[in-house]
């Protein structure tokens, strides 16, 4: 098995969360202004964690396709 493929494969937890999403979850808005301050901090924390975990993982695949 190619170890590179396993590096860019989404985790099972991510796939479960994605399976629970609806089309409305991806319609381009978050209604961030409606969140409480605590919810805003949680949202920002999760967004930062996502970027930290996945930043650059798609880039190698894109370069191979060129």
């Amino acid at each position: 098995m190619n170890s590179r493929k396993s590096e860019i494969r989404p985790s099972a937890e991510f796939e479960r969360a994605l399976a629970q999403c609806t089309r409305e979850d991806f319609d381009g808005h978050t209604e961030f202004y409606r969140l409480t301050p605590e919810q805003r901090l949680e949202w920002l924390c999760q967004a930062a964690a996502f970027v930290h975990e996945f930043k650059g993982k798609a880039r190698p695949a894109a370069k191979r396709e060129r």
Side-chain angles (χ1 to χ4, degrees):
M1 178 179 198
N2 186 346
S3 64
R4 284 198 146 221
K5 286 186 179 183
S6 64
E7 288 176 16
I8 59 173
R9 190 166 184 209
S11 69
E13 181 180 350
F14 177 78
E15 288 183 5
R16 280 193 300 275
L18 190 58
Q20 294 176 357
C21 293
T22 64
R23 293 187 85 188
E24 291 78 25
D25 293 328
F26 299 97
D27 65 0
H29 73 280
T30 61
E31 296 194 22
F32 192 78
Y33 68 94
R34 291 185 179 194
L35 300 178
T36 66
E38 182 179 357
Q39 289 171 322
R40 289 179 186 191
L41 288 172
E42 182 62 30
W43 186 94
L44 289 169
C45 179
Q46 290 178 2
F50 178 85
V51 169
H52 178 73
E53 182 176 350
F54 294 102
K55 182 179 179 184
K57 290 193 176 185
R59 230 177 267 148
K63 286 182 180 178
R64 283 194 304 264
E65 291 177 6
R66 290 182 186 177

